[in-house]
């Protein structure tokens, strides 16, 4: 009988979805943080970044900062010219990754970017299938989207099996 399978599958999917959809905060450079003499392409190469994840830059200011730049700014270590492009300087900057594509970050202090490797490029992939519920409600209530997604997957599987 399909309905027993349906209930089982929907329940399973609803339990699993919040785990799959958890967003990640990446501490740039790990324990080294955001500084000179760290190979950030090596740090990034085994990580997958999704929309909804965040980068956290930990550093001391002065001397360091974080400028979001384009591919040219990254390659040539030039800071943006536009006035609205202020650097981040808090020393503990969390940047949420809101769109897919390539993202570039540099430190513009002295020769930190050009000679000392303080530059990061990442590629952000599309979001995981469902938004993570806030920690307060995780495991108790599911968002409308997740219920909908679970129902769709459940119906599909119940029909397919
Ligand atoms: C890259 O950023 C620089 C500095 O803000 C700007 O002058 C340039 O036009 C940008 N290039 C592209 C391809 O957007
Ligand atoms: Cu620096």
């Amino acid at each position: 009988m399909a309905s027993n399978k349906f209930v089982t599958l929907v329940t399973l999917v609803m339990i699993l979805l919040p785990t799959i959809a958890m967003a990640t905060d990446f501490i740039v450079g790990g324990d080294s943080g955001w500084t000179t003499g760290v190979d950030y392409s090596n740090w990034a190469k085994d990580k997958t970044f999704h929309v909804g994840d965040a980068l956290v830059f930990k550093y001391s200011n002065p001397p360091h900062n974080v400028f979001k730049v384009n591919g040219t700014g990254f390659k040539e270590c030039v800071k943006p010219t536009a006035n609205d492009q202020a650097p981040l300087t808090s020393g503990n900057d969390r940047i949420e990754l809101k769109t897919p594509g390539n993202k570039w970050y540099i430190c513009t202090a002295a020769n930190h970017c050009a000679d000392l490797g303080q530059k990061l490029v990442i590629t952000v992939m599309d979001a995981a299938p469902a938004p993570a519920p806030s920690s307060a409600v995780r495991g108790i209530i599911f968002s409308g989207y997740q219920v909908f997604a679970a129902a769709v997957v459940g119906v599909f599987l119940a029909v397919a099996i």
Side-chain angles (χ1 to χ4, degrees):
M1 173 111 186
S3 69
N4 281 339
K5 275 184 198 162
F6 175 81
V7 170
T8 309
L9 287 167
V10 169
T11 307
L12 268 176
V13 168
M14 286 177 69
I15 291 166
L16 291 175
L17 264 181
T19 318
I20 296 164
M22 291 262 281
T24 307
D25 278 12
F26 292 96
I27 311 292
V28 176
D31 289 342
S32 304
W34 180 237
T35 186
T36 54
V38 176
D39 184 344
Y40 289 101
S41 54
N42 189 50
W43 173 80
K45 77 170 194 284
D46 60 350
K47 295 173 180 64
T48 307
F49 304 92
H50 287 104
V51 169
D53 291 342
L55 296 177
V56 182
F57 289 86
K58 290 178 179 287
Y59 57 95
S60 33
N61 173 283
H64 305 299
N65 61 32
V66 183
F67 262 102
K68 186 171 190 301
V69 294
N70 59 26
T72 310
F74 177 83
K75 207 166 74 188
E76 296 171 2
C77 291
V78 204
K79 67 180 167 189
T81 45
N83 289 333
D84 60 350
Q85 285 279 8
L88 298 170
T89 56
S90 82
N92 190 0
D93 299 312
R94 186 176 180 280
I95 301 178
E96 196 179 327
L97 304 170
K98 292 183 175 157
T99 56
N102 291 338
K103 315 288 165 188
W104 301 271
Y105 306 91
I106 65 173
C107 171
T108 62
N111 61 343
H112 292 190
C113 174
D115 299 327
L116 303 174
Q118 200 172 5
K119 57 199 301 194
L120 171 68
V121 56
I122 62 167
T123 302
V124 179
M125 320 299 280
D126 281 323
S134 79
S135 57
V137 297
R138 187 176 299 144
I140 303 167
I141 311 170
F142 297 92
S143 72
Y145 182 90
Q146 281 169 338
V147 172
F148 176 73
V152 168
V153 173
V155 167
F156 177 78
L157 290 174
V159 169
I161 288 168

